[in-house]
Amino acid sequence: MNHEIVTYSIQQLSKLLTKRELSSVEITKAYLEQIEQRDKMIGAYLTVCADEAILQAERIDKRRLDGEELSVLSGIAIGIKDNICTKGIRTTCGSKMLENFIPPYDAHVVKMLNKAGTVLLGKQNLDEFGMGSTTEHSAFGCTKNPHDISRIPGGSSGGGAAAVAANMAACSIGSDTGGSVRFPAAMCGMVGIKPTYGAISRNGLVAFASSLDQIGVMTKTVMDAAMLLSVIIGKDPADATSVVHPDVDFLSGLHQGVSGMKIALPEAYFGKSISPAVKNAVLDAAKKLQQMGARVEMVHLASTDAALSAYYIISSAECSSNLARFDGVRYGYRATGYVDMEDLYIKSRNEGFGDEVKRRVMLGTFVLSEGHYEAYYHRAMQAKAAVCREFADVFSQYDLILTPTAPMTAWQFGKKNSPTEIYSSDLCTVPVNLAGLPAISLPCGWDADGMPIGMQLIGKAFDEKTLLRAGYVWEQEGSR
Ligand code: GLN
């Protein structure tokens, strides 16, 4: 029985819980057993909260037995990326800098999940502070792709995607600054959605690039993603950029199909850098969507290449300022053997941060410096404005945009070593963050090595409903 439980979707688990055919303790124990058996190999978790999880599950089971009306997520066991603060539970951001940091408060998203009655299995691995696409930049070792452990799981929320793919959580909560939910979801064959900027509070998410960061979810099915989002989306007074979402009733329209929908296929996302297997799978999906009643047409999005450079300039600029707080005085790691204050800063930051974080902080400081601000930061902001304008133009005529999620499938560890080569794999995901739009990554086939391929649907701001609706019918009919 236990082996099966961990393969179920949230929807299936929720039904069994409601009918009292399964208890939350049984579910939680099944996942903990799976983690025990598989995570030594995969490395998805940095902290497993076994005892607390069972206690949480017992409490939910008791409330259910007492006849209390519970939410659909009550008793569902989940994992959370380790850059989202959990009260009393170590939150490392994958960094030596925060190796022993125990937050005194819960992130807003964690509060919402607790309120809904989910059970926290543990905190999941990531590239340090969310900077990376492979989870190789974690200070605590890399996570492996469950489909082939010689390959990357994607990143930066690689722990979360791998955990769901290896049945070590019913779902995972991640963060997406330039693709970190969608990219690993694609590499691991899962569903990943990044909602509109401002839809989910960032309070308690350790900031990487505040104007781009957004919390998202990784699940086995589109329905599961819809169920989760309905619970965690909402305005939070503690995050001034969060807003009231105009339509969170994601479940009601889910079955309506794509008939009559207009889907744009931007040429720039199907260029030379896209591998033939990925390109064919996504173009095939476009054909199927057309057969299912959608109108699919090619469009031009000329700013796509500039978006990648603009993203790396803007995100690095913001990270250099956000990470200034890690100074060895107020938070985290403090070096020993310093001679004065400046030496304390330098040694603590030098020893506490890994190479990738240092590279971004240096790049960010450079592009913000007086002599280079105009040439880099200012121009990047102009490119960002162009990206937004172009998306707005397309969305004045289309409901959705279809692209690959990544130019290629998961590669083998050690195959790509140059930072810029890895940065270029974010080509398809970063424009979405620059424009603050919602997007979903859906499995759409396999390459010759048996690795999953992901396609991305991009929607209008606050129109997660259409994304989920198209994703749902794709999953039910298209992807078979
Ligand atoms: N791969 C991108 C980067 O390294 C995206 C990271 C993210 O979304 N957190 O910046």
Side-chain angles (χ1 to χ4, degrees):
M1 179 67 176
N2 279 5
H3 291 300
E4 261 179 52
I5 293 177
V6 294
T7 65
Y8 293 162
S9 66
I10 296 180
Q11 189 192 14
Q12 288 169 313
L13 290 171
S14 179
K15 272 197 193 128
L16 292 170
L17 282 165
T18 313
K19 288 195 282 183
R20 298 201 196 159
E21 285 174 20
L22 203 58
S23 71
S24 179
V25 169
E26 284 174 291
I27 294 176
T28 305
K29 283 188 174 161
Y31 282 119
L32 288 171
E33 214 171 275
Q34 180 82 350
I35 293 171
E36 178 79 34
Q37 280 168 14
R38 289 203 72 184
D39 207 37
K40 268 187 223 76
M41 190 80 95
I42 306 285
Y45 283 90
L46 293 177
T47 303
V48 177
C49 316
D51 297 341
E52 299 90 326
I54 290 172
L55 271 177
Q56 256 185 315
E58 281 171 352
R59 259 182 258 135
I60 292 292
D61 285 339
K62 179 166 184 318
R63 284 168 58 190
R64 200 183 301 276
L65 284 176
D66 288 347
E68 205 178 307
E69 183 97 22
L70 299 173
S71 104
V72 286
L73 294 184
S74 282
I76 304 291
I78 69 166
I80 295 183
K81 189 175 182 178
D82 210 20
N83 61 351
I84 297 176
C85 288
T86 40
K87 189 175 174 177
I89 299 167
R90 196 170 78 116
T91 299
T92 67
C93 292
S95 180
K96 188 176 168 194
M97 188 57 97
L98 291 178
E99 191 167 3
N100 300 309
F101 175 59
I102 298 185
Y105 71 103
D106 275 327
H108 182 262
V109 68
V110 176
K111 285 187 194 147
M112 302 302 278
L113 289 162
N114 285 341
K115 212 165 110 194
T118 59
V119 170
L120 178 63
L121 292 165
K123 304 295 297 288
Q124 296 165 331
N125 201 13
L126 68 157
D127 288 297
E128 188 172 3
F129 288 100
M131 298 172 198
S133 309
T134 61
T135 320
E136 289 167 296
H137 297 306
S138 164
F140 308 111
C142 48
T143 301
K144 304 190 178 73
N145 193 314
H147 294 281
D148 174 352
I149 55 166
S150 72
R151 291 172 193 264
I152 58 138
S156 63
S157 317
V164 181
N167 297 325
M168 297 191 292
C171 66
S172 299
I173 309 293
S175 66
D176 189 312
T177 305
S180 278
V181 160
R182 292 159 286 155
F183 192 85
M187 297 296 120
C188 293
M190 297 292 112
V191 172
I193 180 162
K194 175 205 99 73
T196 312
Y197 183 76
I200 299 174
S201 169
R202 289 180 294 111
N203 180 252
L205 164 67
V206 179
F208 161 10
S210 314
S211 76
L212 307 165
D213 295 342
Q214 183 57 210
I215 285 173
V217 303
M218 287 161 285
T219 55
K220 288 196 169 110
T221 70
V222 174
M223 171 67 87
D224 285 3
M227 288 167 75
L228 262 176
L229 287 185
S230 326
V231 165
I232 58 175
I233 282 184
K235 185 174 165 57
D236 166 23
D239 173 1
T241 61
S242 83
V243 292
V244 177
H245 196 289
D247 189 1
V248 287
D249 181 17
F250 301 133
L251 298 179
S252 73
L254 216 52
H255 300 85
Q256 285 169 359
V258 289
S259 182
M261 263 191 208
K262 287 200 270 176
I263 302 179
L265 216 52
E267 244 174 0
Y269 288 75
F270 294 89
K272 281 197 305 293
S273 56
I274 311 295
S275 85
V278 171
K279 188 170 162 177
N280 291 339
V282 180
L283 291 177
D284 235 29
K287 261 192 228 136
K288 283 195 188 153
L289 287 164
Q290 207 156 12
Q291 286 157 7
M292 287 154 66
R295 211 169 89 202
V296 184
E297 286 166 2
M298 277 284 182
V299 296
H300 295 284
L301 276 174
S303 60
T304 308
D305 282 338
L308 188 64
S309 319
Y311 167 81
Y312 273 93
I313 290 171
I314 295 168
S315 64
S316 300
E318 291 186 27
C319 103
S320 72
S321 134
N322 274 328
L323 269 55
R325 71 189 61 164
F326 301 106
D327 54 7
V329 178
R330 288 167 295 181
Y331 294 90
Y333 181 79
R334 179 181 297 178
T336 50
Y338 49 88
V339 292
D340 56 19
M341 197 66 176
E342 186 162 339
D343 197 34
L344 163 69
Y345 293 153
I346 294 172
K347 284 208 171 94
S348 300
R349 287 170 70 81
N350 190 29
E351 293 165 20
F353 288 142
D355 287 350
E356 185 58 29
V357 168
K358 285 180 196 161
R359 196 156 28 237
R360 309 268 184 132
V361 169
M362 284 191 284
L363 176 63
T365 311
F366 174 79
V367 298
L368 289 176
S369 62
E370 204 184 335
H372 302 283
Y373 178 88
E374 287 295 325
Y376 294 100
Y377 189 73
H378 189 70
R379 282 183 65 198
M381 290 306 276
Q382 286 174 330
K384 173 182 161 150
V387 171
C388 295
R389 260 197 318 274
E390 278 190 19
F391 273 128
D393 270 358
V394 172
F395 281 124
S396 68
Q397 295 176 57
Y398 295 88
D399 302 299
L400 292 171
I401 299 175
L402 171 65
T403 75
T405 306
M408 70 296 279
T409 53
W411 58 86
Q412 272 164 336
F413 287 106
K415 261 271 167 73
K416 287 186 204 276
N417 290 318
S418 114
T420 46
E421 197 185 350
I422 296 178
Y423 297 169
S424 65
S425 63
D426 296 336
L427 180 75
C428 307
T429 47
V430 297
V432 173
N433 299 72
L434 289 176
L437 299 172
I440 190 167
S441 178
L442 301 157
C444 74
W446 305 87
D447 73 2
D449 296 325
M451 297 310 289
I453 298 174
M455 70 183 201
Q456 171 175 249
L457 286 169
I458 308 169
K460 295 177 188 167
F462 300 106
D463 193 13
E464 281 79 6
K465 206 165 176 169
T466 302
L467 274 184
L468 291 162
R469 183 175 138 193
Y472 184 77
V473 70
W474 165 255
E475 184 180 79
Q476 300 299 309
E477 296 170 29
S479 61
R480 308 208 157 166

